Amino acid sequence: MAETEPIHLENYEKLGAFYLGRPYDLAERIAQEGLLLYDSKDLTTHAVCVGMTGSGKTGLCIGLLEEAAIDGIPAIVIDPKGDLPNLLLTFPELRPEDFTPWVNEGDARKKNLTRDQYGRQQAELWRDGLASWGQDGSRIARLRDSADFAVYTPGSTAGIPVSILSSFEAPPQALVDDSELLGDRIATTATSLLGLVGIEADPIRSREHILLSTILEQAWRTGRDLDLPALIQAVQDPPVKKVGVLDIEAFYPAGQRFELAMALNNLLAAPGFDTWMQGEPLEIDRILYTPEGKPRVSIFSIAHLSEAERMFFVSLLLNQVLGWMRGQSGTTSLRAIVYMDEIFGYFPPVANPPSKRPLLTLLKQGRAYGVGVVLATQNPVDLDYKGLSNTGTWFIGRLQTERDKARVLEGLEGVAAGARTAFDRGAMEETLAGLGKRVFLLNNVHEDEPVVFETRWVMSYLRGPLTREQIRLLTGKRRGSDASQPMAAAGKETAAASPAEGTVSAEAGSAFVRPVLPPGVPQHFVPLRGPGLEKSLTYRPMLLAAGTVRIFDRKTKVDFAEDLVSLTPLTSGAVALDWEDAMEVDIDLTDLESAPAASVRYAELPAVAAKKTSYTAWKREFKDWLYRNRKLELLKSPMLKEFSSPGESERDFRIRLRQTAREDRDAALEKLRKKYAPKLARLQERIRRAEQSVSREAEQAKQQKMQTAISFGATLLSAVMGRKAASRSSVGRATTAARGVSRSMKEAQDVNRARESLESHRQKLVDLEAEFQEETDLIKERFDPLAEELETVVVRPKKKDIAVQVVGLGWAPFWETADGAAAPAWD
Ligand SMILES: Nc1ncnc2c1ncn2[C@@H]1O[C@H](COP(=O)(O)OP(=O)(O)OP(=O)(O)O)[C@@H](O)[C@H]1O
Ligand SMILES: [Mg+2]
C-alpha cells in the first residue's frame, strides 16, 4: 500500500461518519486514497452483510461496531459463533505481553513459534496493520473510553449470566396497548418455550400453544407478571374456563395438561437450568447503558447452547428489544445497534421460527426509533426476502456459488427498484465476481451509486473464537468495573416531599364513641389496608387535604400536573395543626369511605376541629403550603439548553442529551453537504477539464498530475461528501477520460496557460477545503454529555395553578399496641 498522509480521524468522528475502509480499485487490485465513510444515520434503515466464509464479514462488522461505540452508540450483539468477544481484546499500548495471553496456541504451533514469539508477532501485525489505516493506540484508548464492553453468557456463568425470568413479566404498557405487538410477543414466548421442551407447535392448531398463549395473554393484559412455576401452575389450573366456545376440559383435558405441566417442570428441574434463572435480568435499558449512562456494547455469546436453547433465547431477547424500543421517543438519528453475526436459521425465507417475527418487526419499525439492525450471513439464501426489502445497506463480500450471486443480484435489483439508485445488472455481476478477501461492495440506498471498498484494520484483536474459560477470564477482569455491577437504584428525582414517618405515639383518652360534628364539617374515613392481627384499631382525627398542582413553565417546557392527598395530625395543644407535620399519603380520593370500620375507638377530637370556620382557614393555609412546598427540580444542560423532564433521572437525561446532540450534529452535517456539494462538484469538473487540456498539451506530465488531483480525495471535504453529490464519480471519470486523450502536441504557450489555469483551480479547491474545515470546527465540540456539568433549575407553581379539592376532617385508622406504639393502618 502506498504511503499516505496521516488521517485526522477525529474530524470524521465529529461528523458522525463511520470510517469503514478505503475505496478499492478492482481493476488495479489496490486500495485507493481517500476514506470510505458511512453516515451513522444511514444505519437506521439497517444493513445486511453477506459473503463466504473468511471474506471478512465479522471483521467489517466489528469495525462498524467500533465506530459506533466511539460515537457513543450502544449495541446488542448476538453471537452464535464466538468471534465477537474479540471486541474486548483492545490494547491501547499494543505491547506483545498484551497479546500473548490471548493468542491462538494452535496458530502459533502451526508457525513453529512459541506463544511469546507469536504474541510478539501478533502485536507487531496489529500495530502495523492499524498504522497502514491511519490508526494507532490512542484511537484504541478512545474506543475503550467511549463504551463499556461486556460478554453475557445465558445459561452459563462463564460471562455475565442472564436471568430470563423477567421475560415472563408483563411487557411495558406501550406494548400491551398495541394488540398486534402484544400478540406477537405472546406467540413468540409460547413458541420458543415449547421449542425448549421439544414441542414444535403450530400457533393456530396446537393445543399447547393455544393454552400457553391464553395464559400469557390473560396475565399480561391485567399487568400481572408470570414466572415458570406460575406458568406450570396455570397449565394445570387454567385461569379461563373456556377456550373459544369449548369448555377447557373438553378442549384440553386435565390429564393431558398434566403432561405439558410435567414437561415444563422437567425443564425447571433439569440440572443447570437454574443458571437461566440467576444473573442480570434481560432489561434492555441496563444492557444498553451503565448506571451512569455510558453506552455499552453487550455481547450475547450463545455458541455453548443447544439449538433449541439458542432459538429460545434469541427470540426472548429480540422481544425484549421490541418492548424497550416502543417506549423510546422517535428520532432521526441512530440510537442503538442490534447485530447478529450469523443469521442462519433465525430469519429463513420459508419457515417461521419464533425469532422471525420479532426480527421482521424490528426491521419494519426500528427506523422510527433509531434502532439499526445489522445481519450477517455466509449465504444470501438464509435471509427472508421481505426483510431484505426493508434493508437500506448491503455489504456484499466474495460469494462462493453462482446461485449465491444470482440471489444477491435479485435482491439488489429489488432494492434499486424502490430507490433512486440506478441498477446495471451486468456491471454489478462483474463487480461481484471480482471481490476478494476484505473487499466489499457497498450498496446504500442513501447514496447515488454503489462503491467497492476494502475494510479498514480493526482495533480489536481478532484472535478467533474464545473458549468459555477465556470468557470467564475476560469477564472476571472487568468485574469490579461498572460492567457487571447491578444497577444502582436510579435516583428518580421527584418533587414529592418525603412522607413523614409512620409511627406516632399513642394518645391517651380514646373512646368508642364517634364524636358528633356540626353540619357543614366534611368528614371522611381513610380506608384500612393490610392485616392488623392482635392489635386494636383507633381512628385519629387528622386534617385531610387534597389538591392538584400544575406546574407550567414556558422556559423549561414543563407542563406537569400532580394530584396529592395529605394528612396532618390535629391536636388539642395550643397549635391544633402544624403544617410541618403534614404527610403525603398514597390514597386515592375515590377510596375514601363515608363510614368507619366496625368496633373501633376514636381519639379525642380537638375543639377547633369541630368548628366549620377552622376548615375555611385551613383551606387557605393548605393552598399556601402547596404553593411553598411544591416545586420541581429539573436539570439543565447549558451546552444544549435542554431541561430534564419531571421524574427523569440524571442518567436518563444524559442518555437523552446524547441523542439530541447526535440529531443536531447529523442535521449540521446535512446542511454542510447541501452547501458544499455543488461547489465541490463544480471545482472538480473544472480541474478535470483543465487536466485534460494539460495532458493534451504535455503528455509526460499526465500521470504525475493526475495522481495529485485524485489525492484530494483524501480530504475531509470530499470524503464526507461521499457519493451523495456524484462528486467522486466525476473524479473517477476524469481518470478514464484522461487516459484516452490523444497525444497530439501543441505549442509551449498553450501548455503554460493550461497549467496556470489548473493551478488556480487547485488552489480554489484547497481554499474550499479550508473553509469547510473551519465550518466543521464550528460544529459543537465532540460533546460528552457524561462529562457535562448540569445545572439545577427549580420551577414552582403559580398560585392560580393550584386547586384544592378537599379539606375536611379525616379519620385515620392506627393500629395501637399495648405498649403504646401506633402504626398507620392505611399502608
Ligand atoms: N478488518 C480486519 N482487520 C484485520 N483482520 C481482518 C479484518 N477482517 C478480516 N480479518 C482477518 O481475516 C479473517 C477472516 O475474516 P472474518 O472472520 O471477518 O471472516 P467471515 O466472513 O466473518 O468468515 P465466517 O463466515 O467464517 O465467519 C479474520 O480472522 C482476520 O484474521
Ligand atoms: Mg464471521
Side-chain angles (χ1 to χ4, degrees), residues 58 81 83 341:
T58 305
K81 275 200 188 153
D83 284 326
D341 187 45

Side-chain angles (χ1 to χ4, degrees), residues 54 56-59 81 83-84 339 341-342 376 378:
K57 298 181 296 298
T58 305
K81 275 200 188 153
D83 284 326
L84 273 301
Y339 168 56
D341 187 45
E342 174 56 71
Q378 288 182 7

Side-chain angles (χ1 to χ4, degrees), residues 130-424:
L130 286 172
S132 65
W133 291 87
Q135 305 173 96
D136 55 20
S138 68
R139 192 161 199 247
I140 300 180
R142 186 151 69 239
L143 169 66
R144 289 180 63 115
D145 284 349
S146 303
D148 174 58
F149 296 80
V151 183
Y152 287 81
T153 49
S156 153
T157 53
I160 303 172
V162 178
S163 163
I164 56 163
L165 278 180
S166 63
S167 329
F168 299 107
E169 281 173 9
Q173 196 58 38
L175 199 144
V176 176
D177 290 343
D178 183 326
S179 52
E180 195 185 330
L181 262 189
L182 180 67
D184 282 358
R185 170 107 166 210
I186 289 169
T188 317
T189 310
T191 315
S192 54
L193 194 58
L194 287 170
L196 204 54
V197 295
I199 301 174
E200 220 174 286
D202 179 331
I204 300 173
R205 268 171 294 177
S206 132
R207 285 189 311 189
E208 293 91 341
H209 197 282
I210 292 170
L211 178 63
L212 285 190
S213 306
T214 309
I215 293 169
L216 290 169
E217 170 159 18
Q218 217 261 347
W220 289 354
R221 275 209 189 278
T222 53
R224 205 151 41 79
D225 299 337
L226 285 172
D227 53 18
L228 264 184
L231 201 63
I232 294 169
Q233 173 64 37
V235 167
Q236 285 182 279
D237 187 10
V240 291
K241 294 298 154 234
K242 272 191 185 319
V243 172
V245 294
L246 282 184
D247 189 84
I248 182 83
E249 293 305 326
F251 170 77
Y252 198 167
Q256 291 165 30
R257 289 203 313 270
F258 182 67
E259 283 169 31
L260 177 60
M262 281 305 287
L264 290 169
N265 189 58
N266 287 347
L267 190 68
L268 203 56
F273 196 77
D274 53 340
T275 49
W276 285 91
M277 297 296 161
Q278 335 153 334
E280 291 212 16
L282 268 185
E283 276 168 26
I284 302 303
D285 180 62
R286 295 171 58 154
I287 289 167
L288 291 178
Y289 299 97
T290 66
E292 295 76 33
K294 193 174 187 179
R296 304 184 66 198
V297 175
S298 292
I299 300 151
F300 290 87
S301 179
I302 55 173
H304 58 283
L305 298 177
S306 75
E307 214 171 298
E309 287 171 331
R310 286 185 203 187
M311 180 56 76
F312 169 73
F313 179 74
V314 170
S315 309
L316 285 186
L317 179 59
L318 292 172
N319 269 317
Q320 297 291 103
V321 172
L322 273 182
W324 164 83
M325 185 177 91
R326 298 289 295 214
Q328 304 300 305
S329 55
T331 179
T332 48
S333 294
L334 188 60
R335 166 182 273 135
I337 294 176
V338 176
Y339 168 56
M340 188 147 180
D341 187 45
E342 174 56 71
I343 198 72
F344 172 72
Y346 295 92
F347 201 43
V350 188
N352 248 322
S355 54
K356 188 166 162 180
R357 252 205 273 198
L359 259 176
L360 261 177
T361 314
L362 263 185
L363 287 174
K364 274 193 224 145
Q365 303 184 351
R367 180 181 196 170
Y369 300 98
V371 176
V373 180
V374 181
L375 303 174
T377 182
Q378 288 182 7
N379 202 329
V381 190
D382 297 337
L383 290 158
D384 175 71
Y385 188 77
K386 264 207 300 305
L388 288 187
S389 57
N390 278 304
T391 305
T393 298
W394 290 50
F395 295 109
I396 302 159
R398 191 182 179 85
L399 294 165
Q400 201 147 24
T401 67
E402 289 310 312
R403 197 167 125 251
D404 290 350
K405 280 176 213 158
R407 170 96 188 178
V408 163
L409 283 169
E410 223 171 274
L412 283 177
E413 207 156 9
V415 173
R420 57 191 162 129
T421 339
F423 189 75
D424 179 345

Side-chain angles (χ1 to χ4, degrees), residues 63-122:
L64 184 110
L65 290 168
E66 289 174 349
E67 298 293 321
I70 288 180
D71 195 26
I73 291 165
I76 287 178
V77 176
I78 304 174
D79 181 22
K81 275 200 188 153
D83 284 326
L84 273 301
N86 287 337
L87 275 164
L88 275 73
L89 303 180
T90 40
F91 314 117
E93 293 173 66
L94 293 160
R95 293 172 305 195
E97 60 265 38
D98 296 328
F99 285 77
T100 306
W102 302 105
V103 297
N104 186 326
E105 205 134 9
D107 290 348
R109 232 175 291 122
K110 259 184 259 159
K111 301 209 162 164
N112 256 330
L113 294 174
T114 65
R115 189 181 252 276
D116 282 343
Q117 288 169 328
Y118 191 56
R120 198 166 318 127
Q121 210 186 62
Q122 293 285 292

